[in-house]
């Protein structure tokens, strides 16, 4: 019986597939909690431990079966747990990414319910037994119970519509058949595009006295796997990125202009002795007022001036451990390491960008207030012209909801509340109720922004 498995991390792999030994190889131990519980409880399967026994009993009751060893009951018990926790963590069923993974898991559970003879929506009814089982250890699960139930119930209803769509396509293709074989392409299209289970297609085929072209289906599946593998290959060589030592002091919260010194210049990821008129490159300064792209906010633009020489900064980015890189082109003159420069941010652009960034925080708060605390930021783009805000929610917003959100945000803008910033320890910030934002990395000291009580 496998208790854990070990991953031996030994090599760095580049885009050409060349393996180079790591200076410090390591071993990752993956120990399964359920496997450990099985050992402690003296059973030989994860599904025999107390947690799963109760979930399987609840699923069996919904299915009206006394056969607790039915494989479909195990699938449903396992899937209710994974789906519930994904939703608690802010994942919503979707057609791509992790939302698609969630959707597939939900649909697989529903299919197994169908195999047990359950015809009505049932999966969401297992959230309550799950909360009873795990809510004490995971209070966030208990808090989000109603939300999880709503998402699962809605997805189950949508899947019923998907089945209806799939049935229409299948009926149409069956009507056009000249023989007794349903084409592999049809089976694959139903499965891949509409989430129509292959065994359901097989059931319908048996009822009509038809057969499935499983060889054609497997061929289509193999072609898709090949496409997925090609997309997942090591297309990026992480060894071929710009590597810069040291740190850049950022002064852009206090100043939008700064005298500084060039510490390094790069051209095409290689260190350069200098840049002259017409050449593109990257300039590193000792300190800079230029904000590097971060938290969804676009990097600053502006000018670096050294006497009559001008370098137009078109983007600012962060690299490595706090190095700020100014990307752009020399408009006139020449620049080289050691030069003293005047670094001037495009003030109007920065202020417009900052306003849009503040608006994303107001928007986030408004969405949580009107839609519920489950709403979480999943990404954003902020520049001088516009903002885009990505967030998790289980259904599209209605026109009335959008207008209510807009009205609340505009009300806060019109209130013109002073924006207050404080630097404090991250634990202190959390106690104050500050929200950590998706995708951001935080140090021990953090900058906390507030706009009144909103």
């Amino acid at each position: 019986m496998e208790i854990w498995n070990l991953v031996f991390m030994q090599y760095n792999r580049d885009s050409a597939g060349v393996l180079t030994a790591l200076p410090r190889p390591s071993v990752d131990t993956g120990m399964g909690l359920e496997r450990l519980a099985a050992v402690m409880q003296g059973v030989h399967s994860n599904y025999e431990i107390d947690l799963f026994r109760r979930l399987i009993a609840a699923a069996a009751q919904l299915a009206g079966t006394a056969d607790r060893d039915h494989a479909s009951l195990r699938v449903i018990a396992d899937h209710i747990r994974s789906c519930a926790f994904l939703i608690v963590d802010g994942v919503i069923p979707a057609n791509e990414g992790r939302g698609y993974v969630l959707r597939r898991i939900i649909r697989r559970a529903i299919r197994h319910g169908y195999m047990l003879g359950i015809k009505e929506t049932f999966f969401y009814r297992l959230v309550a037994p799950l909360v009873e089982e795990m809510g004490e250890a995971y209070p966030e699960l208990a808090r989000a119970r109603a939300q999880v139930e709503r998402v699962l119930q809605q997805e189950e209803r949508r899947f019923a519509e998907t089945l209806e769509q799939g049935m229409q396509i299948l009926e149409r293709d069956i009507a056009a058949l000249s023989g007794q074989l349903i084409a592999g392409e049809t089976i694959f299209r139903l499965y891949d595009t509409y989430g129509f289970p292959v065994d359901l297609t097989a059931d319908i085929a048996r009822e009509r006295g038809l057969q499935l072209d499983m060889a054609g289906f497997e061929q289509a599946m193999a072609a898709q796997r090949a496409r997925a593998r090609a997309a997942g290959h090591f297309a990026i060589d992480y060894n071929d990125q710009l590597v810069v030592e040291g740190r850049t002091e950022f002064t852009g919260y206090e100043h939008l202009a700064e005298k500084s010194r060039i510490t390094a210049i790069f051209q095409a990821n290689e260190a350069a002795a200098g840049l002259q008129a017409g050449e593109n490159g990257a300039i590193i300064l000792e300190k800079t007022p230029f904000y590097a792209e971060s938290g969804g906010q676009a990097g600053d633009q502006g000018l670096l001036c050294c006497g009559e020489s001008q370098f137009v900064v078109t983007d600012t980015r962060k690299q490595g451990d706090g190095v700020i890189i100014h990307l752009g082109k020399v408009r006139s003159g020449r620049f080289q390491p050691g030069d003293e420069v005047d670094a001037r941010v495009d003030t109007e652009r920065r202020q417009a960008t900052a306003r849009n960034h503040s608006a994303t925080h107001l928007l986030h708060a408004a969405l949580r207030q009107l839609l519920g605390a489950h709403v979480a930021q999943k990404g954003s783009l902020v520049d001088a012209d516009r903002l885009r805000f990505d967030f998790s929610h289980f259904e599209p917003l209605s026109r009335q909801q959008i207008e209510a959100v807009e009205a609340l945000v505009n009300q806060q803008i019109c209130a013109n509340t002073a924006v207050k910033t404080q630097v404090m320890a991250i634990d202190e910030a959390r106690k104050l109720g500050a929200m950590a934002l998706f995708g951001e990395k935080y140090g021990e000291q953090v900058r906390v922004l507030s706009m009144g009580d909103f």
Side-chain angles (χ1 to χ4, degrees), residues 126-268:
L126 289 167
V127 176
L130 180 68
V131 170
E132 282 178 32
E133 200 59 43
M134 303 187 74
E136 187 179 348
Y138 297 93
E140 66 271 27
L141 176 65
R143 285 195 298 268
R145 174 183 161 178
Q147 161 76 0
V148 175
E149 288 174 337
R150 282 177 67 193
V151 172
L152 291 178
Q153 189 176 22
Q154 186 175 64
E155 185 62 20
E156 209 165 343
R157 285 175 179 158
R158 279 186 184 149
F159 187 42
E161 294 168 11
T162 295
L163 286 176
E164 192 176 334
Q165 276 183 310
M167 283 300 298
Q168 288 173 0
I169 290 164
L170 185 57
E171 292 287 2
R172 189 180 65 222
D173 283 18
I174 287 173
L177 280 181
S178 55
Q180 300 296 305
L181 194 66
I182 298 175
E185 285 183 12
T186 298
I187 306 163
F188 177 75
R189 183 157 52 94
L190 286 167
Y191 170 76
D192 188 59
T193 307
Y194 297 96
F196 203 81
V198 177
D199 51 3
L200 186 54
T201 307
D203 287 346
I204 295 161
R206 271 194 300 273
E207 289 169 9
R208 313 287 177 88
L210 301 172
Q211 294 177 321
L212 301 185
D213 173 19
M214 291 308 295
F217 170 75
E218 291 299 340
Q219 194 175 355
M221 279 292 289
Q224 192 202 46
R225 287 190 197 105
R227 286 193 297 271
R229 276 197 299 274
H233 277 170
F234 289 85
I236 299 172
D237 186 352
Y238 291 99
N239 306 285
D240 191 31
Q241 304 300 305
L242 182 59
V243 178
V244 188
E245 300 290 330
R247 290 181 67 84
T248 307
E249 181 189 349
F250 174 63
T251 61
Y253 288 138
E254 297 81 26
H255 314 288
L256 293 181
E258 183 76 72
K259 290 193 180 298
S260 189
R261 187 175 66 84
I262 296 176
T263 57
I265 292 177
F266 289 84
Q267 250 188 321

Side-chain angles (χ1 to χ4, degrees), residues 358-368 375 387-389 391 405-406 409 454:
S358 295
T360 64
H361 296 305
L362 293 174
L363 179 56
H364 194 184
L367 287 165
R368 286 172 66 86
V375 169
L387 68 91
R388 190 200 73 230
F389 190 79
F391 64 96
V405 170
E406 288 176 355
V409 173
F454 193 66

